[in-house]
Amino acid sequence: MRKLPPRTRFFAYDELATALTYKEGASPFVHSLNGTWQFCYLQSPREVPAAFRAGDYDAIDWQTIKVPGHMELQGYGKPNYTNISLPIPVDPAAAPANNPTGLYYRRFSCTPQLARQVLRFDGVDSTFTVWLNGQLVGDGHGSRLMTEFDVTDLLKPGENTIAVQVEKWSEYSFLEDQDQWWLSGIFRDVTIIDEGGLNDLQITPQYQEGQWQIAVAVQAEANAHLRGKVYFAGQPVAEAALPTGTTTIPISAPREWTDETPNLYTLVVADDAAGALVPMRFGLRQVEMIDDQICLNGEPVLFNGVNRHEFNPETGRALTQEYILSEVTQIKRAGINAIRTSHYPNTPYFYDVCDELGLLVIDECDLETHGMYVTEMPTDDPYWQGEFVSRAERMVHRDFNHPCIVIWSLGNESDFGENHVAEAAAIRKLDVSRLIHYEGDRKTEVADMYSTMYTPVEDIEKRAVKLTHQKPHILCEYGHAMGNGAGSLQDYQDVFRLYKSVQGGFIWEWKDHGLKQATPAGPQYVWGGAFGEPVNDGTFCIDGLVRPDRVPSPGLLEYEHVIQPFQFFVAQNHVVVKSLYHYQTTRDLVLRWQLEVTGEKVAGGQIALPALAPGALSPVLSLELPEAGGVDAMLNLAIETTTVQGVFETGAQLASQQVAYQGLPAQPDAAATVSQTPAAVTITRGPLTVTVDRGTGNITQLSQDDQKVLAGDMALTLDRLPISNDMNVVAERQKERIATLFARCESIQMTQNDDTVMVAIRQRIAPPAINWGIELAVTLWVGAAGVTIRTRGWFDGEKPTEVPRIGYQLPLTTTVRTVDWFGRGLGESYPDSLDAAPLGHYQLNRDQWGFPYVVPQEAGNRMGVRWATITTATGPSLHVAGLTPFNLNVVGGDGQPLGNQSSDQVRLDARVQALGSNSCGPLPLPRYRLYTDPFDFTVTLNLQY
Ligand code: IPT
């Protein structure tokens, strides 16, 4: 058999220095057959002249073609773009009678130097037959897979000839119906390689009992004596003899590979008898499921990914190394950490770049049968099983050693059936060190993760909260970036960050695949139909984050901002930066800031950021801000590099954020102290003390010089007394159990400087018995302004559609005496009843606050409040300021309208429900209703005498 079984793709070198460069062009054992070939374009294989098969090449009337390249982009036939539909009859038993066929031929000289010569095709679309010096070598298929032939006995020293016949359509076209241009020909490298005694090499990194090692599986000629030496940064770090079979080599002082720390080792296999050195790079990284999460080196992964087709607007899927390097660099610079090779194994060099730059790859099998749905999918048909399996095996063998590949994908859009089950089994037999993905496997029978496409945010949330023990969810496609789009990327990212069972996704897609064409109006990018194709899918190939020329669209800028690796927490002049990295400790970064009032810069500066461990908060950083803020004052923050870091130049911006700036409080500096017990965190600053319960995450006490203000938790609540116009919805509300919510603290993180403390709390609030809840991200600042609380919340599960209010309830130890406020007044206001309540500065005593409805019910809300001072019968008064207008109300401690209660409750609400007149008329108009959308509000509380 001349055709070699699938194996790892490797090259031999004659010197260590060139072997370590990993540049195949530097090896004397690599003979590229790329370049200009003679070419003859025919309408069908039936037209192939007998002279060609007889090896009489001079008898043929040749034109020329560039290899690698596509026939259709060099004047031979036309491109055709389809997404799902097949442009030929859906009949795999017969290729169409009109089946464009290209005959390729060239002379080359090559002097064999080592024991064996292998002819390697990296990609030919869709089937081919090859002859060397007029002798039949064999045939190949699997357009995006490698095919190798042993040609040792056919090559002659000096001049040789090679001839290849390529057919555009074959039965395999039905398995290669990806959403792309149909482009055929020899579109990847053709090479003859000299080889010594090594036949195959698989390196599996293993982490066991705190120690890294590699398992090196070698297949070699019987008489070969191979030695392996491991290099890191050019220096040898380990070595071992490599007999056929598996040898384990421990690696001491390990430098792990992750997408953030792409440390690469090179194993150089020396075959002294042959005088050949085979370098193979690897990375120390372990992919595994821990606690139902996809983990890399023990840490859960969040995929901030893109789907990437191989595409160049002039050369189609024939890409140069320079083009691949600059494109993957652009992807990495955007902060993207993962690529799905939609929907086929890529040009081999792509994985070298991902190994070097640090990108997590889902390597997808060259398999999509989408268009066959009109007849019958081949998924369960035994006829196709061998082909399904061998495609997967060829991918895994070829790409086995790349650390960047963390997941194998069985293919795309091919339903799910027995042939996928066989495919997955074949992959697991070859490689237990990676996970398996297949979106069509909805019940995750063989896939390690639940993968979906374009799932609405609400549906992701519903599953996320359903079960603790379930396979993780990833979105292999979402955010359809066709034209102007995609929207809601931040909404997706919030959900990815909130729920541990959701591990991110991959935008569809990286780039527009518009072909560049000369038109009377000059060169233009064209889409399906531009070549008169009767079956085409129009503009569905123009759906990327960048244009065909890789100019970023606004969609990419949005995505970059949404996935940026830092989060900013800000209160007044204080900033805390959180690192969202998983593996790297930051270095050489500055926080640059600028204050703008009505868009004009009034102050600015920069602060060096201390090194931040993964996931860590910075200390509280104080900015030298002017005292005055106001509604038009905006603080712009950015994090920049001060040295070259990987793909980032000095001065590169890694993250940015804008926040409103309200000005500085007048209070003096004071020392802040934190005391912690297993039950609570207590922060004291000057006379103010704030206590947070570690179990619930709620503030349980606010006190001034030991005078306690709260009689119970300051909890986020949703209920209020029903009004008469609620009479028809009360029963429903009871079923939703909004009045009895349980709070649970999921995490609490703290940071501080001398006079300010920040606490970041994650909470979950949920009713008993039924399936919905609210995820809360609360940041609490104790500083000169008092306690600033930013609360962001997301409803999830089978959530109620509407709720009566969303906000904090502060049960006081005493009663309210007076309320002084700036907001709507003098009387109460609700979203659909506020015309008689203009904004102003008002003051009322407790007995004037709520309207005494004859039937007791909700009353007294004031909308649009900017600040309020609430004095009490005994103890300190409470001052509240909102970053944006909030709702204020005072009711009795028992939740009833104010009367003769002995203590009261203050409510600070983000939003309240409207009134309507549904007791005998309509519900509130939709535009006034309080839907259970995500919310975000900030209030600052201070106590004073
Ligand atoms: C999905 C395909 O997987 C992808 O290749 C692309 O065609 C995308 O649609 C549309 O641009 S499949 C679709 C049926 C959701």
Side-chain angles (χ1 to χ4, degrees), residues 773-854:
I774 311 175
E775 283 292 317
L776 289 180
V778 179
T779 37
L780 218 145
W781 295 79
V782 183
V787 202
T788 298
I789 304 162
R790 178 177 183 194
T791 308
R792 291 187 299 154
W794 294 263
F795 288 83
D796 59 32
E798 317 287 330
K799 60 189 183 184
T801 324
E802 294 171 56
V803 289
R805 42 173 282 278
I806 300 171
Y808 284 107
Q809 171 175 309
L810 286 74
L812 304 182
T813 50
T814 176
T815 52
V816 166
R817 207 157 49 84
T818 62
V819 185
D820 188 31
W821 81 100
F822 181 79
R824 287 191 182 268
L826 177 67
E828 60 186 31
S829 44
Y830 289 86
D832 56 349
S833 176
L834 46 68
D835 255 26
L839 276 181
H841 180 179
Y842 304 100
Q843 222 177 339
L844 283 176
N845 293 330
R846 179 180 190 270
D847 58 0
Q848 302 165 306
W849 180 261
F851 183 82
Y853 293 104
V854 171

Side-chain angles (χ1 to χ4, degrees), residues 81-84 177-180 307 309 340 342-343 364 368 370 412-413 439 442 453-454 476-477 480-482 508-509 513 539-543:
Y81 167 66
T82 64
N83 175 354
I84 297 166
D177 182 28
Q178 291 94 347
D179 172 9
Q180 61 186 340
N307 283 279
H309 262 295
R340 173 176 178 233
S342 51
H343 302 296
E364 192 150 88
E368 173 160 343
H370 218 154
N412 187 55
E413 291 286 358
E439 181 266 343
R442 295 290 154 79
M453 292 178 177
Y454 309 106
C476 66
E477 294 177 24
H480 202 252
M482 190 167 178
W508 186 268
E509 66 178 306
H513 20 138
T539 57
F540 258 80
C541 56
I542 312 291
D543 53 359

Side-chain angles (χ1 to χ4, degrees), residues 592-596 601-606 624-626 635-636:
R592 189 180 292 284
W593 61 271
Q594 178 163 319
L595 183 70
E596 290 184 357
K601 176 177 170 180
V602 298
Q606 66 174 60
E624 302 274 313
L625 283 167
L635 183 58
N636 295 314

